[in-house]
């Protein structure tokens, strides 16, 4: 049996690792348990955009996403780690008058005419109605960011256990006993941050997985100063002259196989943004599973009927974007800090537990 700890975090993706970091930063003893290796699964498959505007759901989500952007900037400064934090911003295409009007509502956006798009990004096929530049919507390298949070948590004393599958969770006095093979960890608080697999640990939790395929191209010599985005599809520049193209949305598929249909869809996405882009050498292709809740907003908070048990999962397309803000919300709930009541209501896990999928939040227009 290991030494008792304040908090056990189940899940070694970016949500779990950032949660471990912010808890350890407060002086709590933390043990993070990951069934595979750190930064695998959904985190590794993500694009890495911090798109508070492109992923807008409602005002509560937007303010949460903006806070997360600031936390990334602060973490980069404090940790001193290189995790691909890249400025420039996201250019959102407006391919119709309706899209142009919707994007024009953002006062912090810079409108670019089709000609201005062509001037700034020579390779791009400019949309007829121009585009909008959101300079604060930067991006990170998902795997490197997750590993940076993990390393920072370890430096603060957190214990990290990889290749460790949770076999049983038992209520023990006012805390929990977590059994991992022949080992047992006792903790006062338990945080479940296992993505789509969280549904296996929380009885009655409604969550599905949506498959997405991406590819990485060798684009050495092509200068792309911004991420390009339109209707859930993107081209993200990464260091070393590569571009990430994504992503498909495949409901009802839970495998991680690369398919011909997915390859065709990604090639079409690439061509939509930059003619001829799909002919560049393919360096890598992959697939991931996005954990989807009943209303596309994540489950963040205390699990109903379970004192000191919390969940931070179901971020769908926005796990990278919302990771540090999610971690800080869980931290505040555990240590008793004041929390934003609108966020607690919006992200309350009871929306999707025990068939209480009411008060669903509908996606609003920008």
């Amino acid at each position: 049996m290991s030494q008792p700890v304040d908090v056990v975090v189940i899940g070694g993706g970016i949500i779990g690792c950032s949660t471990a970091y912010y808890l350890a930063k407060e002086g709590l003893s933390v043990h993070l348990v990951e069934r595979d290796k750190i930064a695998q699964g959904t985190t590794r498959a993500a694009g890495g955009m911090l798109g508070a505007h492109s992923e807008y759901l409602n005002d509560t989500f937007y303010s949460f996403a903006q806070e997360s952007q600031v936390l990334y900037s602060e973490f980069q400064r404090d940790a001193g780690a290189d995790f691909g934090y890249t400025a420039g911003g996201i250019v959102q295409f407006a391919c119709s008058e309706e899209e142009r009007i919707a994007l024009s509502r953002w006062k912090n956006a810079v409108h670019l005419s089709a000609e201005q798009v062509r001037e700034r990004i020579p390779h791009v096929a400019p949309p007829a109605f121009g585009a909008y530049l959101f300079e604060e919507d930067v991006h990170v390298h998902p795997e490197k960011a997750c590993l940076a949070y993990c390393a920072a948590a370890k430096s603060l004393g957190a214990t990290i256990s990889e290749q460790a599958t949770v076999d049983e969770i038992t209520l023990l006095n006012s805390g929990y006993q977590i059994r991992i093979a022949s080992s047992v960890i006792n903790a006062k608080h338990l945080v479940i941050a296992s993505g789509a697999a969280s549904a296996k640990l929380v009885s009655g939790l409604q969550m599905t997985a949506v498959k997405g395929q991406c590819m990485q191209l060798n684009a050495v010599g092509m200068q792309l100063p911004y991420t390009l985005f339109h209707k859930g599809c993107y081209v993200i520049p990464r260091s070393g002259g590569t571009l990430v193209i994504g992503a498909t949305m495949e409901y009802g598929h839970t495998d991680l196989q690369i398919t011909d249909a997915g390859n065709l869809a990604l090639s079409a996405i690439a061509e939509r943004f930059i003619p001829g882009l799909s002919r560049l050498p393919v360096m890598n292709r992959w697939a991931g599973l996005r954990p989807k809740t009943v209303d596309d907003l994540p489950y963040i908070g205390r699990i109903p009927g379970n004192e000191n048990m919390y969940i931070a999962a179901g971020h769908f397309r926005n796990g990278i974007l919302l990771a540090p803000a999610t971690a800080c919300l869980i931290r505040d709930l555990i240590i008793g800090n004041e929390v934003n009541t609108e966020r607690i209501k919006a992200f309350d896990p009871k929306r999707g537990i025990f068939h209480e999928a009411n008060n669903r939040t509908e996606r609003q227009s920008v």
Side-chain angles (χ1 to χ4, degrees), residues 85-330:
Y85 186 93
T86 305
I90 294 177
V91 170
Q92 286 199 58
F93 281 15
C95 296
S96 68
E97 179 63 9
E98 291 76 15
E99 291 180 5
R100 187 198 65 76
I101 292 172
L103 290 169
S104 70
R105 297 172 186 171
W106 293 109
K107 303 305 180 185
N108 55 345
V110 178
H111 178 250
L112 304 174
S113 66
E115 182 59 32
Q116 288 173 319
V117 172
R118 186 182 295 110
E119 290 174 355
R120 293 196 182 205
I121 321 171
H123 304 286
V124 166
F129 296 87
Y132 282 79
L133 169 60
F134 297 89
E135 294 180 323
E136 62 267 49
D137 288 2
V138 299
H139 66 270
V140 300
H141 189 291
E143 190 175 0
K144 290 180 179 179
C146 183
L147 291 170
Y149 271 117
C150 182
K154 287 178 67 175
S155 72
L156 293 171
T159 300
I160 310 296
S161 294
E162 298 179 278
Q163 307 286 358
T165 301
V166 174
D167 295 322
E168 185 180 23
I169 299 172
T170 306
L171 182 64
L172 182 67
N173 300 322
S174 59
Y176 294 90
Q177 187 177 83
I178 298 90
R179 183 173 297 280
I180 305 167
S182 59
S183 300
V184 172
I185 310 170
N186 290 335
K188 182 177 181 180
H189 302 274
L190 177 63
V191 179
I192 297 173
S194 304
S198 300
K200 298 178 181 179
L201 299 174
V202 181
S203 177
L205 182 67
Q206 300 178 67
M207 189 183 297
T208 56
V210 180
K211 181 180 178 179
Q213 297 183 54
C214 297
M215 67 179 178
Q216 187 172 20
L217 304 178
N218 185 338
V220 173
M222 178 182 291
Q223 297 299 317
L224 186 63
Y226 312 104
T227 291
L228 308 179
F229 183 91
H230 182 251
K231 286 190 172 181
C233 300
Y234 51 80
V235 178
I236 304 174
R238 284 191 179 169
S239 60
T242 69
L243 300 175
V244 173
I245 315 297
T248 65
M249 292 279 286
E250 303 172 39
Y251 292 85
H253 295 272
T254 57
D255 65 275
L256 295 176
Q257 298 299 310
I258 304 303
T259 65
D260 291 339
N263 292 340
L264 288 173
L266 292 171
S267 293
I269 291 170
E271 292 295 327
R272 187 192 314 168
F273 288 108
I274 302 177
L277 188 61
S278 65
R279 294 195 293 270
L280 293 179
V282 177
M283 299 178 64
N284 193 14
R285 299 185 192 273
W286 65 88
L289 298 176
R290 310 176 185 91
K292 185 183 184 305
T293 68
V294 294
D295 55 11
D296 293 356
L297 289 173
Y299 300 136
I300 310 171
R302 189 176 68 84
I303 296 174
N306 295 270
E307 185 179 1
N308 296 338
M309 183 184 288
Y310 306 84
I311 187 169
H315 290 69
F316 196 32
R317 296 168 51 91
N318 302 304
I320 306 301
L321 167 62
L322 299 180
T326 296
C328 288
L329 179 52
I330 292 294

Side-chain angles (χ1 to χ4, degrees), residues 12-14 34 36-45 143 146-147:
I14 196 163
E34 165 55 37
D36 192 354
K37 293 184 178 181
I38 298 298
Q40 301 303 297
T42 300
T43 293
R44 187 180 185 187
E143 190 175 0
C146 183
L147 291 170

